[in-house]
Amino acid sequence: MTLNLTVSPDFAPDHIAGWYFFNTWLQRQLGNAVHLELYDSFEEQRQDLRAEKVDLIYANPYDASMLVRELGFEAIARPLAQPDETIIACREDAEFESVEDLQPGTRVATTSDPDVHTMGMIMLEPADLDSSNISIAQRSNYVLVAKSLLKREADIGFFLKAGYQDLSALIQNQMKVLVTSQISVVHHTLLVGPGMREQIPLLQERLLAMHEDDKGRSVLESLGIEQWESMDRERTEFMIDLIDTLIP
């Protein structure tokens, strides 16, 4: 039986090849066919998750709650020292230097990534800004958020920190960071569905040792990951509780 792997749609486009490399590596480790399905939208992916079409997913923190508590997935690993932080950035030549300088009417470019968007909105609170006194334009990825800033279609943009850092140096040099979140315990996670539960010990063992050989290390580098570290139930539940507090 072919297993189905997917990735949260907020991953950097530069890592598309890396996920195909990871898919090939995964097949060899499990001795089983694995199909990688990439989605353009969160909603389309969630529909297939609820339809039980996914066995393994590299998920964003927001979806981890649904996956674990509603669909019976189990978190097994996360990238080492790569928490999901949110950045609010603007053009380098913008007149404001901090969030407190922003005024009502500020134009915000964001994505459909719910945890990043929500954290960005929370970080606007010191300027007394909320959805009632700003305009929000949704873009499909962080490259387009950055383009909205550079084309002066938006004043600020919300970015996943990793997504911002994956932008080219040319683009980053035309922007500046106003503020970065410092939560440190929210992160993307690799989760396994109920149908793969028996394979968790083997998969977790291979993932945690992946950085120890040249082939595994090369795949990790293509994903922008140094190495995996294990996730247990307690860590997972703590992260989910925090996300549920931030996003009602």
Side-chain angles (χ1 to χ4, degrees):
M1 181 185 72
T2 299
L3 300 171
N4 292 310
L5 164 69
T6 189
V7 182
S8 177
D10 58 7
F11 71 93
D14 289 350
H15 295 157
I16 289 178
W19 284 109
Y20 280 99
F21 296 151
F22 179 76
N23 186 70
T24 299
W25 177 89
L26 193 62
Q27 292 184 81
R28 292 171 178 166
Q29 304 307 309
L30 298 177
N32 200 109
V34 181
H35 169 70
L36 174 64
E37 185 72 32
L38 300 178
Y39 295 84
D40 293 327
S41 74
F42 287 92
E43 192 51 45
E44 183 185 3
Q45 185 181 71
R46 289 171 191 144
Q47 288 176 2
D48 278 359
L49 284 166
R50 293 187 183 280
E52 300 181 356
K53 295 181 179 180
V54 175
D55 301 292
L56 186 67
I57 178 173
Y58 183 63
N60 66 81
Y62 176 83
D63 283 338
S65 177
M66 170 192 70
L67 289 161
V68 171
R69 294 182 174 172
E70 296 180 33
L71 302 181
F73 277 69
E74 184 173 339
I76 62 170
R78 67 182 182 187
L80 177 67
Q82 284 186 222
D84 283 1
E85 302 292 1
T86 297
I87 279 177
I88 297 181
C90 63
R91 292 186 311 279
E92 195 280 331
D93 62 356
E95 60 185 16
F96 27 83
E97 298 295 334
S98 69
V99 165
E100 287 80 2
D101 294 332
L102 300 173
Q103 300 295 319
T106 293
R107 299 169 301 163
V108 180
T110 185
T111 67
S112 59
D113 193 336
D115 46 318
V116 173
H117 177 76
T118 300
M119 183 51 59
M121 294 299 294
I122 291 172
M123 291 159 67
L124 290 181
E125 291 177 358
D128 293 324
L129 299 180
D130 56 36
S131 58
S132 70
N133 58 8
I134 62 175
S135 61
I136 299 173
Q138 191 172 98
R139 301 291 182 254
S140 59
N141 57 56
Y142 296 115
V143 172
L144 294 182
V145 170
K147 286 185 177 180
S148 293
L149 296 179
L150 300 184
K151 293 167 69 175
R152 301 181 184 273
E153 297 171 348
D155 302 306
I156 59 172
F158 296 163
F159 296 84
L160 180 68
K161 184 177 180 180
Y164 184 86
Q165 293 174 335
D166 281 332
L167 296 172
S168 70
L170 178 63
I171 292 177
Q172 288 191 52
N173 288 339
Q174 298 178 72
M175 299 193 296
K176 61 184 176 183
V177 175
L178 295 178
V179 65
T180 303
S181 68
Q182 297 181 0
I183 298 178
S184 78
V185 295
V186 177
H187 42 75
H188 278 55
T189 307
L190 195 65
L191 298 104
V192 171
M196 284 187 64
R197 193 156 284 132
E198 292 182 359
Q199 300 183 63
I200 287 177
L202 172 63
L203 179 55
Q204 195 168 43
E205 175 190 334
R206 299 293 170 84
L207 286 167
L208 298 184
M210 193 173 178
H211 64 286
E212 295 175 356
D213 68 79
D214 291 340
K215 288 185 179 179
R217 193 157 47 246
S218 176
V219 173
L220 287 171
E221 288 175 0
S222 70
L223 296 173
I225 295 174
E226 181 180 341
Q227 69 181 77
W228 297 103
E229 66 175 342
S230 65
M231 279 289 287
D232 56 29
R233 187 76 182 187
E234 183 177 355
R235 285 180 176 179
T236 304
E237 291 292 340
F238 180 80
M239 182 183 73
I240 290 173
D241 286 342
L242 178 58
I243 289 294
D244 286 349
T245 299
L246 294 175
I247 308 176

